[in-house]
Amino acid sequence: MQNLPDNADVDIAILKEHGIKHFAIIPDGNRRWARARGLAPYEGHKRAVKTLENILPVFKELNIPVVTIWAFSTENWKRPQIEIKVLFEILKQLASIADKKLNKNGIKLKVIGRRDRFPKDLLKAIQKAEEITKNNKAYTLVVPLDYGGQDEVRRGLLKLLKKIKKNEFTIDGVIKKLEDTDYAFSFIDSFMDIYDLPYPDVIMRTSGEMRLSGLYIWQNAYAELFFIKKYFPDLTRSDILKVVREFMQRDRRFGGNSKK
């Protein structure tokens, strides 16, 4: 824990000592932002794109290696079809210009979640964007699409069972791995969507809602939680800096002794 000057605009050089390896955002409130202005819900999603463009550079500035922006959950299929259609079109447009929007900041795109329920043109755009950005080094942008934390665990178990069925693992072998407490967690990790990335240190949700809605159920055990009252379209660079500043002042014990 660090004692920082009591101001919102603390020197960026000081904030670079944050120690954050993974900063995750649940960008909530797009539709409410639109409705508050008498607009159609999809206008909130369009505005959210501009917000995303404005905040992405700050993570590079702060040297945060992994950033998650949750774009579409497994539960979002319950929304009106017209809204889903417009949202998919926005996502396709974003993916199709990744070479400019992401490469400009050296960002690598990694999309997680299911890929069996999206339109083929969207999948094609996503795959192209991932290929174009795969060698970028500034940081990795993880975008969960058709993602749910419980569904991630379900798919992870399914992957393991299929490997057992193919004789890549035996039941006794799996039991042995899970009984080894020094190895068990990393073994389970290998079947999760972000197996090759660090667990989130920060999970921030906008709009004032105080729940995680299943984001990274397996990986969020020691994440520091931040709930911002602003709707995501109103989020600013300054808001991100404030969260980082507060993170640096928290006492992360991981079940051990206080650092105070």
Side-chain angles (χ1 to χ4, degrees):
M1 185 177 71
Q2 300 189 34
N3 293 319
L4 302 178
D6 189 20
N7 61 14
D9 298 320
V10 63
D11 192 301
I12 198 73
I14 297 176
L15 290 183
K16 285 184 179 181
E17 302 300 319
H18 51 71
I20 299 171
K21 295 180 180 178
H22 187 164
F23 192 118
I25 299 177
I26 302 173
D28 196 21
N30 295 346
R31 297 188 298 169
R32 279 170 283 169
W33 180 92
R35 282 197 290 265
R37 290 159 177 77
L39 303 172
Y42 63 81
E43 293 294 343
H45 299 313
K46 289 182 178 179
R47 174 59 183 262
V49 172
K50 294 186 179 298
T51 298
L52 185 61
E53 292 176 355
N54 290 336
I55 66 172
L56 283 181
V58 73
F59 299 109
K60 178 181 178 181
E61 190 178 4
L62 291 170
N63 297 324
I64 295 176
V66 182
V67 177
T68 288
I69 308 289
W70 196 358
F72 191 87
S73 77
T74 50
E75 290 71 36
N76 287 157
W77 291 103
K78 300 174 185 177
R79 293 183 176 182
Q81 285 301 307
I82 183 63
E83 181 184 348
I84 292 174
K85 183 177 180 180
V86 172
L87 182 55
F88 283 0
E89 188 60 34
I90 292 172
L91 290 172
K92 186 176 73 173
Q93 290 173 4
L94 282 174
S96 66
I97 58 174
D99 56 333
K100 296 179 181 178
K101 298 293 183 179
L102 299 183
N103 280 339
K104 180 180 179 181
N105 290 291
I107 300 169
K108 176 182 177 179
L109 177 66
K110 179 182 178 68
V111 175
I112 65 171
R114 296 181 59 170
R115 296 198 178 200
D116 60 319
R117 299 194 288 187
F118 284 126
K120 291 183 179 180
D121 55 350
L122 174 57
L123 284 176
K124 185 176 180 181
I126 289 171
Q127 291 166 351
K128 180 180 179 181
E130 289 179 314
E131 177 65 23
I132 288 171
T133 63
K134 67 180 182 180
N135 295 318
N136 289 346
K137 304 295 185 183
Y139 67 83
T140 298
L141 175 62
V142 182
V143 179
L145 288 176
D146 200 1
Y147 170 90
Q150 291 176 314
D151 188 67
E152 180 186 14
V153 174
R154 178 193 68 82
R155 289 184 287 103
L157 289 172
L158 191 58
K159 290 176 189 176
L160 174 58
L161 290 173
K162 286 181 177 179
K163 286 183 177 293
I164 293 173
K165 186 176 182 180
K166 293 179 181 178
N167 296 317
E168 295 180 33
F169 290 112
T170 65
I171 294 294
D172 287 342
V174 170
I175 290 174
K176 185 176 181 179
K177 291 177 186 296
L178 295 178
E179 287 179 336
D180 183 349
T181 55
D182 292 330
Y183 180 74
F185 285 3
S186 61
F187 177 67
I188 296 171
D189 274 341
S190 68
F191 297 99
M192 298 294 108
D193 287 353
I194 58 167
Y195 65 91
D196 55 344
L197 298 174
Y199 287 2
D201 298 294
V202 172
I203 298 181
M204 182 188 84
R205 182 174 187 145
T206 56
S207 87
E209 302 289 353
M210 300 180 69
R211 57 180 178 272
L212 300 183
S213 296
L215 180 64
Y216 294 143
I217 284 178
W218 170 251
Q219 304 92 341
N220 72 21
Y222 284 102
E224 294 293 324
L225 308 181
F226 296 84
F227 299 101
I228 310 300
K229 291 184 178 180
K230 286 184 176 181
Y231 296 140
F232 183 73
D234 290 327
L235 196 71
T236 66
R237 174 182 182 275
S238 179
D239 294 319
I240 301 297
L241 296 180
K242 288 177 182 177
V243 167
V244 172
R245 178 181 179 278
E246 183 178 338
F247 173 86
M248 294 175 70
Q249 295 180 315
R250 292 192 181 183
D251 187 16
R252 304 186 80 200
R253 296 185 297 279
F254 299 99
N257 293 326
S258 172
K259 297 178 182 179
K260 293 183 179 179

